[in-house]
Amino acid sequence: MFGYDKINKRDLCLIAVVFLTAAGLLFFRRLSAEKGTFATVEQDGRQIAQLSLAEEGTYVFVCREGGTHVIRVQDGLVRVEEADCPDQICVRQSWIGQEGETAVCLPHRILVRVQKESG
Ligand SMILES: [Zn+2]
């Protein structure tokens, strides 16, 4: 096994370089993640609305089962601001804005998905 005393200065230097590279990659990935331009709202897999992330606004969706979702768009991000589902998981997912990010409400079968216009 590797004892701590076996790590010499060169190893430490190497470890530091590896760590910095990993941190840099993470940072780069964050920067290169595509920002979404619109969000779709789906219920039971069917799209019921498409919201532009460029326009600030609050949208209220009432499901067949009587569930209500208040969806807020602000600063290019979207979130489920209020919902009357029992688990509140969709509300706790908070702001999303990168392409492919989703906020899901299982009890009401609502899916908010951030997407990017092609071209
Ligand atoms: Zn919910």
Side-chain angles (χ1 to χ4, degrees):
M1 296 304 288
F2 299 107
Y4 183 75
D5 56 346
K6 288 264 176 67
I7 298 175
N8 60 32
K9 259 188 180 162
R10 230 183 92 216
D11 290 335
L12 277 177
C13 198
L14 194 68
I15 289 165
V17 168
V18 168
F19 177 77
L20 282 176
T21 307
L25 276 176
L26 268 178
F27 186 65
F28 182 73
R29 269 176 61 179
R30 273 194 81 85
L31 279 182
S32 64
E34 298 270 8
K35 269 191 78 64
T37 54
F38 67 97
T40 54
V41 183
E42 293 169 30
Q43 182 177 29
D44 284 327
R46 280 198 329 250
Q47 186 177 315
I48 56 173
Q50 185 171 312
L51 316 173
S52 167
L53 295 187
E55 289 162 43
E56 193 173 317
T58 305
Y59 308 85
V60 180
F61 295 92
V62 180
C63 317
R64 272 192 309 250
E65 296 83 3
T68 304
H69 286 76
V70 179
I71 294 175
R72 172 96 186 133
V73 175
Q74 195 181 336
D75 300 327
L77 301 169
V78 61
R79 71 172 290 190
V80 180
E81 196 162 64
E82 268 181 69
D84 56 1
C85 56
D87 60 13
Q88 296 286 299
I89 285 173
C90 53
V91 177
R92 273 190 252 129
Q93 272 160 324
S94 196
W95 295 103
I96 54 173
Q98 307 285 9
E99 183 186 14
E101 280 189 309
T102 55
V104 187
C105 183
L106 285 177
H108 294 148
R109 304 186 59 138
I110 292 274
L111 174 70
V112 182
R113 193 200 307 266
V114 176
Q115 301 190 54
K116 189 176 183 291
E117 266 156 275
S118 49

